[in-house]
Amino acid sequence: MKKNGSPNVLQTFYIVGSGESDVKNKRISYDSPLGIALCNMKLEEEKNVVLPVGTVLIKIQNIIYE
C-alpha cells in the first residue's frame, strides 16, 4: 500500500467479519472501505483507493485463504 507521494510499503492484511476487526493486528473488516477495495481486487492488480487517511495506491502481490 502506498500513499501518494510516499515510499512503497509492503503490508499484510487479514479480511475478517465485521465483528472480528482489529486494526492493530491488521484484521480488516470486509465491509470497511479498505476491506471492500481489497475484496474486489485480483492478483497483481493496482488501484487507487480513497480512504479516510487519503488516497493510496494498492497492488495485490499475494492472496492466501486460511
Side-chain angles (χ1 to χ4, degrees):
M1 190 161 70
K2 178 180 177 181
K3 191 170 181 182
N4 290 345
S6 67
N8 290 337
V9 176
L10 181 62
Q11 295 186 20
T12 299
F13 292 99
Y14 301 92
I15 308 298
V16 298
S18 54
E20 302 171 286
S21 61
D22 181 358
V23 177
K24 291 180 184 177
N25 290 310
K26 306 285 185 177
R27 298 189 179 282
I28 307 298
S29 171
Y30 70 89
D31 59 357
S32 68
L34 180 57
I36 291 168
L38 292 173
C39 286
N40 289 314
M41 294 178 70
K42 297 177 183 173
L43 193 59
E44 296 297 320
E45 182 178 356
E46 287 187 9
K47 182 191 290 186
N48 280 312
V49 178
V50 179
L51 300 174
V53 296
T55 300
V56 294
L57 175 64
I58 296 175
K59 180 178 180 182
I60 302 296
Q61 293 184 321
N62 196 5
I63 299 172
I64 298 171
Y65 297 95
E66 295 181 1

